[in-house]
Amino acid sequence: MELPDPDETSRRDYLRSLVAVGGTAALSACLDLTGDESGSGVPTGDPVERPARQHAWNDALGTDDDGNPRPPEHHVLVPLSLTTTPDADASDTVEAAFQSLERAYAHDPAGLLFTVGYSPAYFAQVSSEKPIPAPEAITTLESPEFDEFDAVVHFASDKAAVVMEAEQALLGETDEPNGVEMDATLEGVFERAEPRRTGFVGPGLPAEHTGLDGVPDSVPEEAPFFMGFRSGFAESQAPEERVTIQDGPYAGGTTMHVESLTLQLQTWFEQDNHFQRVSKIYSPEHGEEELAGDVGEKLGTSTGVAGEIAERTEQDARERGMVGHAQKAARARDDNGTPPLLRRDFNTVDNEVPGVHFLSLQRSIDEFVRVRQAMAGEDLAGEGVGQRLNNGILQYIFVRRRGNFLLPPREDRALLEA
Ligand code: HEM
């Protein structure tokens, strides 16, 4: 892929495009621009200070003005394939590579947050156990492709240069990330697979992409996500403990599902009005009572859909002819009101198409499936809403790809012999 032209775009968009392109030329263009060269501003780290759970990011994240955890701005999902039969030496090499990254960067959005996960294809090669199922289509509206590579690393940072440099250092494509020498790399054990995915989250970032086909000028200036509304409120996210596997060989780990979606933003912004958008994303009550504001800024730390609004979903379908996405999904909360999924999704313009890489952590993959079916609301179709029409946001989202992964606890993350 060609490098973007810095004169044709804003600084933030240019950085985002460099992350999407990846590779050494993009990294050096990024470092030229940001000056984040060795030792200048990116904190180094100490493996000893990293938490036992790979997915324990919340304590490191900053918060927004309301106190909701603020996701890192830049994300890369790097798919990997095994190039060797795993053994103890390979495992030591992989662990040494990860620890090198932990020395190079602090466990902080100003440094690097990352996880490594293993797919069903991986377990099929190394073990007779099947700790996670192969991905499948979950709804009748989709025929996705599936992730069939062996492992994936999710890199996240507020610094574009960090996600790019960490990725390249891990694969032996650059030396001394952030000025720190790598003791080992993944070379000889893993190689890159397809598809590499990238993305971004944060107020103002989606609106920077209105130059792209499929991203209308009407994306709100301050929106953190393409569809124009805030998401990831503290109250609607599972606590990290709720998504942590409690017993067995992977206790302390979690599972990850990655659903890649493309978005039909033209229809969303140009055929629907604000009232309809608020109703379809949160609930009809949010539309009628004007509870959300322009981009959800009125909602603080909670949408308030759990409980009565979620319980009224079927009635809203019959009587109002419309149901909200969050309202439907909240039907799948635990009996005590706790949400079972920890969503760490991000926007993308991979392949120049607006979309979302919906990355979700949960104790087991079947919990994801259960919540995703509640969101699909196939039970509501024919009850006043269609399969897609007025059924939350289903008319505007298209599932392209799914993958399931197991994220072992950090001490077993170089899981080469199951
Ligand atoms: C383009 C895709 C999507 C967009 C724009 C989107 C947007 C939103 C928004 C704005 C909220 C309300 C804010 C919040 O509670 O944090 C929400 C809630 C939620 N969404 Fe999505 N979402 C998308 C896809 C999905 C998918 C694929 C799932 C999979 C199951 C999902 C599951 C949920 C859940 C579980 C909630 C919280 C419900 C509760 O309060 O318990 N979303 N989403």
Side-chain angles (χ1 to χ4, degrees):
M1 231 193 284
E2 271 182 35
L3 288 189
D5 182 346
D7 298 328
E8 297 220 327
T9 160
S10 73
R11 183 178 192 273
R12 284 171 102 190
D13 190 32
Y14 178 61
L15 288 175
R16 198 281 315 151
S17 317
L18 292 173
V19 173
V21 171
T24 42
L27 174 60
S28 66
C30 184
L31 291 171
D32 281 349
L33 185 75
T34 59
D36 281 338
E37 286 173 74
S38 316
S40 69
V42 175
T44 55
D46 181 350
V48 175
E49 286 167 12
R50 294 248 167 182
R53 295 173 180 169
Q54 293 199 72
H55 57 287
W57 289 12
N58 286 1
D59 280 350
L61 297 179
T63 51
D64 65 17
D65 291 345
D66 291 315
N68 299 296
R70 201 179 57 75
E73 197 165 307
H74 297 282
H75 296 256
V76 182
L77 288 170
V78 182
L80 299 169
S81 287
L82 276 171
T83 56
T84 182
T85 307
D87 60 15
D89 283 349
S91 180
D92 289 347
T93 302
V94 168
E95 180 56 25
F98 290 134
Q99 291 204 19
S100 298
L101 285 186
E102 292 175 338
R103 269 191 296 281
Y105 305 105
H107 180 65
D108 191 286
L112 177 71
L113 300 176
F114 71 97
T115 62
V116 51
Y118 295 88
S119 74
Y122 177 87
F123 288 102
Q125 288 178 68
V126 303
S127 147
S128 53
E129 276 180 60
K130 287 189 183 166
I132 45 164
E136 293 178 338
I138 298 181
T139 69
T140 55
L141 297 175
E142 60 183 75
S143 43
E145 293 183 70
F146 299 113
D147 288 342
E148 282 168 355
F149 45 80
D150 297 317
V152 68
V153 181
H154 176 195
F155 291 111
S157 173
D158 283 342
K159 306 276 176 130
V162 170
V163 288
M164 297 166 79
E165 190 180 50
E167 171 187 357
Q168 289 171 38
L170 196 61
L171 285 146
E173 295 159 3
T174 190
D175 296 328
E176 302 203 356
N178 204 23
V180 176
E181 200 180 330
M182 295 290 285
D183 288 341
T185 73
L186 299 187
E187 280 177 302
V189 182
F190 284 111
E191 65 183 5
R192 287 179 181 279
E194 292 289 326
R196 178 177 179 270
R197 279 165 275 188
T198 67
F200 52 93
V201 194
L205 294 178
E208 301 217 344
H209 296 279
T210 49
L212 209 66
D213 276 355
V215 184
D217 289 342
S218 35
V219 171
E221 208 50 50
E222 271 315 295
F225 288 96
F226 267 130
M227 292 191 76
F229 294 102
R230 286 169 82 198
S231 182
F233 292 105
E235 192 272 343
S236 63
Q237 291 279 40
E240 284 171 349
E241 176 67 16
R242 174 65 183 83
V243 305
T244 301
I245 298 170
Q246 299 294 301
D247 353 86
Y250 306 107
T254 188
T255 74
M256 178 169 88
H257 182 87
V258 183
E259 168 174 336
S260 292
L261 302 147
T262 54
L263 299 176
Q264 177 40 273
L265 295 174
Q266 225 93 36
T267 328
W268 174 246
F269 283 109
E270 289 170 6
Q271 282 179 18
D272 280 358
N273 58 32
H274 186 67
F275 160 79
Q276 287 167 317
R277 283 194 293 275
V278 170
S279 303
K280 288 181 186 180
I281 206 119
Y282 298 113
S283 81
E285 177 158 336
H286 283 71
E288 282 161 24
E289 307 286 331
E290 298 185 6
L291 300 177
D294 290 342
V295 298
E297 71 279 5
K298 283 192 187 170
L299 293 171
T301 55
S302 170
T303 57
V305 293
E308 265 179 43
I309 293 182
E311 281 158 24
R312 233 187 16 236
T313 307
E314 215 181 298
Q315 197 183 338
D316 279 352
R318 277 197 313 272
E319 295 175 4
R320 290 160 143 140
M322 196 185 288
V323 294
H325 162 75
Q327 169 185 34
K328 274 188 295 176
R331 297 182 296 167
R333 286 196 183 191
D334 295 348
D335 291 343
N336 67 4
T338 308
L341 310 190
L342 177 50
R343 295 167 282 135
R344 289 187 172 151
D345 49 309
F346 46 92
N347 305 292
T348 185
V349 289
D350 284 346
N351 308 312
E352 310 284 292
V353 178
V356 172
H357 295 308
F358 190 86
L359 188 160
S360 170
L361 304 178
Q362 50 283 313
R363 198 168 281 166
S364 67
I365 294 293
D366 53 350
E367 291 195 306
F368 179 83
V369 173
R370 185 168 60 80
V371 181
R372 187 62 177 82
Q373 284 170 341
M375 166 192 156
E378 292 189 358
D379 54 316
L380 305 167
E383 297 285 329
V385 300
Q387 265 204 319
R388 286 189 189 270
L389 197 67
N390 294 329
N391 197 340
I393 54 177
L394 298 179
Q395 207 188 329
Y396 318 94
I397 65 173
F398 301 89
V399 182
R400 302 300 184 202
R401 179 171 270 277
R402 295 188 176 281
N404 290 335
F405 303 91
L406 181 95
L407 275 50
R410 182 174 165 276
E411 65 175 353
D412 294 327
R413 69 186 157 181
L415 175 74
L416 293 169
E417 299 171 296

